[in-house]
Amino acid sequence: MAEPELLLDSNIRLWVVLPIVFITFFVGVIRHYVSILLQSDKKLTLEQVSDSQVLIRSRILRENGKYIPKQSFLMRKFYFNNQEDGFFKKTKRKVVPPSPMTDPSMLTDMMKGNVTNVLPMILIGGWINWTFSGFVTTKVPFPLTLRFKPMLQQGIELLSLDASWVSSASWYFLNVFGLRSMYSLILGQDNGADQSRIMQEQMSGAAMAMPADTNKAFKAEWEALELTDHQWALESVEEDLMSRELDFDGMFSKELPSGIF
Amino acid sequence: MIENREMRDKLRKWREENCRNSEQIVDVGEELISEHASKLGDDIWIIYEQVMIAALDCSRDDLALTCLQELEKQFSDSHRVKRLSGMRLEALERYDEANKDYDAILQDDPTNTAARKRKISILKAQGKSAEAIRELNEYLEQFVGDQEAWHELSELYINEHDYGKAAFCLEELMMTNPHNHLYCEQYAEVKYTQGGLENLELSRKYFAQALRLNNRNMRALFGLYMSASHIAASPKVSAKVKKDNMKYAAWAATQINRAYKYTDTLKRHIVHLGGHAEAAMKQYPLPVFDSGWLVAGPRRTNAP
């Protein structure tokens, strides 16, 4: 049911939409640098490093095992997966669920995470809501149900207004998530201003290396390796090679200093 | 003379490609440090490190000490600098003191791979290859992903003539770098050296693979020829295998002939610059072949 299109004052664009974009962006950049300053050194134990490398090796064995002879592949698979003393079967790491109480460094990390990310978002969201209130800012391009009205139209008391017209607070939140790719462009990957990444991390688990995860990771690798077969890539390599003459182009070119040996 | 920016770019390129042309690095780096130190900004620290290692290679202890002192002044508590000081002690053959340095690093940070690798190099330098092999094995048990270490171990095993274990190490390398023709070729050579029909077959296959990955690998081509002829000449093979291998050997021989003919044609286009070559190489140290031939395109009119 199409309602007559609302025409917004172009001052809104100049004095509301753009400032909110700039504010969000600069707050994000500041957050990034603050998080760098507050970053604590993550010390990895030898065991964690070693385990992660073992998992990588097993994955490489699964993916590129076809380049080594069958015997060697089976030898390594046996080493990992043997019923009695294969590495994945035998190694059980101590499982200490990292709760905030027992692990002081994690507690500080969580606090820092909250301070740098959630708090500013709430504060600035509230400030923007208070400053830029009482008018419609923009329209989202898809239709929304009426349920969204109280959420997105804070401060606009119009019962008959389409829920697609939103207030400045919702524009602010849109920006927070939308500028994520801008941050990657300007600050490089893995930047501290990346809100959704932080939230994802908080959802999936607190610390970087969770001990319980290692056991599960081992089990997953064991299963994957069990299923892998050896398809030797070199079965018919001679025939492939001899199907055409060798190409010696560029053999003595100075761009290839070690092309021969 | 080559100016500041070019020198920095050269050093950066050598750093990124991990080239070991120590004399050139010392030449360029020394000049850069002594003349243009102020203009380098923060780059200077990494240049100090690079020049120091190159100076140790060329026995320039004075230069190495200068660089080390600058670095120690700036980064007094750094593991990286401690490792450099250990390396200097190694170069002076004061192995016990160097070991003490590395042990101190490891006590502070057990995951530091650089210090552990230096300790193993000390054992290698002292000629204690059995111990070096043992330490390297222990290191690899913890850090299975370190390709440099696998390669070093394979070299140590080859020196000890333990070809089976060397082959194992090379297999690790082949898995992590399936498109590197040099590892295939080295593996094939080890298998060829081990001998025995099965190993010869494997070596032939891997020589072929190396050739497939890089058509210009002459060593692999010769290897293919040798292994195929060896199998064909062996009394224990069936007639079919013999025939196949003779076909492979014949094909390899044709390709080798083609390669030499290709060189001959190339020779007619290459100009030997004679004295000009020496001067050119001093000023612009480009990677050229030992014969000093540069592919120069059409004939130069002013060449001798």
Side-chain angles (χ1 to χ4, degrees):
Chain A
M1 194 164 66
E3 296 192 359
E5 288 298 334
L6 279 178
L7 192 61
L8 293 179
D9 193 348
S10 52
N11 276 332
I12 292 184
R13 173 193 66 208
L14 195 57
W15 294 106
V16 176
V17 173
L18 290 178
I20 292 187
V21 175
F22 285 130
I23 292 173
T24 324
F25 183 69
F26 284 121
V27 165
V29 170
I30 293 174
R31 256 212 321 258
H32 166 68
Y33 286 119
V34 167
S35 65
I36 288 186
L37 284 173
L38 292 180
Q39 222 173 36
S40 56
D41 266 330
K42 280 206 175 79
K43 267 215 158 131
L44 292 170
T45 68
L46 189 54
E47 204 176 79
Q48 284 168 338
V49 172
S50 165
D51 283 345
S52 59
Q53 293 205 357
V54 168
L55 284 171
I56 292 177
R57 179 173 177 227
S58 162
R59 181 171 54 92
I60 296 230
L61 180 64
R62 271 187 294 124
E63 288 173 9
N64 291 339
K66 56 186 188 208
Y67 293 109
I68 58 178
K70 190 172 183 105
Q71 190 63 16
S72 321
F73 175 81
L74 289 174
M75 181 165 55
R76 287 170 169 83
K77 183 170 165 179
F78 185 80
Y79 163 73
F80 277 125
N81 278 13
N82 184 26
Q83 277 302 98
E84 300 95 45
D85 56 8
F87 185 80
F88 287 142
K89 281 268 163 190
K90 192 174 53 156
T91 323
K92 296 273 178 250
R93 298 286 179 220
K94 244 184 350 168
V95 178
V96 173
S99 90
M101 310 313 156
T102 57
D103 201 354
S105 67
M106 258 202 33
L107 184 59
T108 38
D109 269 343
M110 250 170 54
M111 221 177 60
K112 280 183 212 159
N114 282 337
V115 164
T116 41
N117 293 310
V118 180
L119 215 58
M121 192 166 86
I122 296 178
L123 284 176
I124 297 190
W127 175 77
I128 286 188
N129 200 17
W130 175 79
T131 330
F132 301 105
S133 69
F135 48 81
V136 168
T137 305
T138 183
K139 177 171 193 256
V140 292
F142 43 85
L144 292 173
T145 65
L146 290 173
R147 295 291 217 101
F148 286 102
K149 272 182 67 164
M151 186 168 77
L152 298 176
Q153 285 179 354
Q154 284 274 18
I156 307 169
E157 282 91 22
L158 286 176
L159 288 177
S160 60
L161 189 55
D162 214 343
S164 302
W165 295 97
V166 299
S167 69
S168 29
S170 20
W171 172 242
Y172 168 70
F173 283 112
L174 260 174
N175 268 287
V176 165
F177 293 107
L179 284 172
R180 199 161 50 92
S181 44
M182 285 279 287
Y183 292 142
S184 330
L185 209 60
I186 298 185
L187 298 172
Q189 289 288 55
D190 208 29
N191 59 71
D194 209 335
Q195 268 285 34
S196 63
R197 194 177 58 89
I198 309 284
M199 299 211 287
Q200 259 179 3
E201 262 183 38
Q202 285 180 347
M203 281 192 278
S204 63
M208 280 260 325
M210 295 203 310
D213 231 16
T214 328
N215 279 335
K216 288 205 203 88
F218 281 173
K219 187 144 202 308
E221 266 307 316
W222 179 85
E223 284 171 13
L225 195 52
E226 274 292 304
L227 297 172
T228 330
D229 249 342
H230 182 255
Q231 306 275 14
W232 205 19
L234 271 61
E235 253 338 310
S236 58
V237 61
E238 287 103 345
E239 302 306 319
D240 287 339
L241 182 65
M242 298 184 193
S243 59
R244 52 172 167 268
E245 302 281 334
L246 289 183
D247 177 17
F248 294 127
D249 252 339
M251 195 186 265
F252 292 106
S253 159
K254 74 179 177 209
E255 290 99 53
L256 301 166
S258 47
I260 296 183
F261 298 112
Chain B
M1 255 297 127
I2 312 179
E3 53 146 287
N4 183 9
R5 177 178 299 277
E6 253 185 73
M7 291 199 269
R8 282 167 82 167
D9 284 340
K10 273 217 183 80
L11 281 179
R12 186 165 34 93
K13 181 164 133 288
W14 290 330
R15 207 166 43 230
E16 282 165 13
E17 293 174 3
N18 229 343
C19 301
R20 201 162 173 187
N21 46 345
S22 308
E23 287 184 1
Q24 290 170 344
I25 295 181
V26 163
D27 276 336
V28 176
E30 190 172 16
E31 180 167 341
L32 207 58
I33 295 177
S34 47
E35 315 264 318
H36 309 281
S38 47
K39 298 188 214 146
L40 289 171
D42 265 339
D43 264 357
I44 194 164
W45 308 116
I46 199 148
I47 290 183
Y48 271 140
E49 184 183 28
Q50 189 182 9
V51 172
M52 185 190 159
I53 297 184
L56 288 177
D57 256 349
C58 302
S59 293
R60 289 285 310 271
D61 294 330
D62 51 332
L63 180 59
L65 191 56
T66 334
C67 297
L68 183 62
Q69 282 167 341
E70 291 295 321
L71 284 168
E72 274 178 345
K73 254 194 296 189
Q74 176 73 9
F75 304 104
S76 47
D77 234 349
S78 154
H79 284 164
R80 202 162 154 178
V81 175
K82 223 179 167 98
R83 165 188 161 235
L84 287 175
S85 115
M87 279 174 83
R88 182 181 150 262
L89 291 170
E90 272 184 67
L92 297 170
E93 295 200 4
R94 284 147 68 174
Y95 294 125
D96 291 326
E97 297 177 37
N99 259 322
K100 263 204 258 166
D101 265 346
Y102 298 137
D103 285 331
I105 298 182
L106 284 173
Q107 209 167 30
D108 205 25
D109 176 15
T111 63
N112 190 315
T113 56
R116 291 182 74 159
K117 290 203 258 197
R118 288 319 308 169
K119 288 184 68 155
I120 297 173
S121 330
I122 290 183
L123 288 172
K124 191 174 170 197
Q126 292 175 313
K128 304 179 181 160
S129 39
E131 286 184 35
I133 289 184
R134 199 188 38 198
E135 292 287 319
L136 194 46
N137 267 309
E138 273 178 33
Y139 171 81
L140 277 171
E141 246 174 78
Q142 311 255 303
F143 301 97
V144 256
D146 191 339
Q147 296 178 31
E148 200 182 57
W150 279 115
H151 205 190
E152 189 64 35
L153 187 59
S154 80
E155 220 176 273
L156 284 173
Y157 275 135
I158 291 179
N159 283 335
E160 298 290 308
H161 305 295
D162 196 344
Y163 297 113
K165 301 214 180 83
F168 184 91
C169 303
L170 286 167
E171 278 161 10
E172 292 290 320
L173 287 170
M174 280 201 299
M175 277 201 298
T176 42
N177 305 286
H179 299 292
N180 186 330
H181 64 106
L182 296 169
Y183 291 146
C184 283
E185 185 222 300
Q186 241 186 335
Y187 182 71
E189 286 174 359
V190 167
K191 283 288 168 200
Y192 182 83
T193 319
Q194 268 184 302
L197 192 56
E198 211 178 279
N199 287 329
L200 280 176
E201 298 240 317
L202 270 180
S203 87
R204 188 197 68 221
K205 286 224 177 268
Y206 279 95
F207 276 129
Q209 172 76 345
L211 266 179
R212 193 163 66 157
L213 292 171
N214 180 353
N215 273 342
R216 292 176 290 258
N217 192 332
M218 283 306 286
R219 223 162 133 150
L221 189 51
F222 275 105
L224 177 60
Y225 174 74
M226 296 292 294
S227 49
S229 351
H230 237 98
I231 300 178
S234 159
K236 289 179 268 177
V237 294
S238 68
K240 176 174 186 308
V241 171
K242 209 185 192 85
K243 196 162 74 101
D244 280 339
N245 278 289
M246 282 173 56
K247 184 177 73 160
Y248 300 147
W251 182 87
T254 345
Q255 296 305 315
I256 295 178
N257 275 323
R258 267 191 68 226
Y260 277 98
K261 286 220 186 61
Y262 185 83
T263 328
D264 276 339
T265 359
L266 217 54
K267 265 192 218 174
R268 286 187 232 122
H269 294 295
I270 291 177
V271 177
H272 191 200
L273 297 176
H276 297 285
E278 312 296 314
M281 277 194 282
K282 274 222 175 69
Q283 209 177 38
Y284 296 97
L286 296 168
V288 302
F289 283 152
D290 284 337
S291 52
W293 288 353
L294 287 170
V295 178
R299 192 168 300 159
R300 291 236 172 115
T301 46
N302 57 350

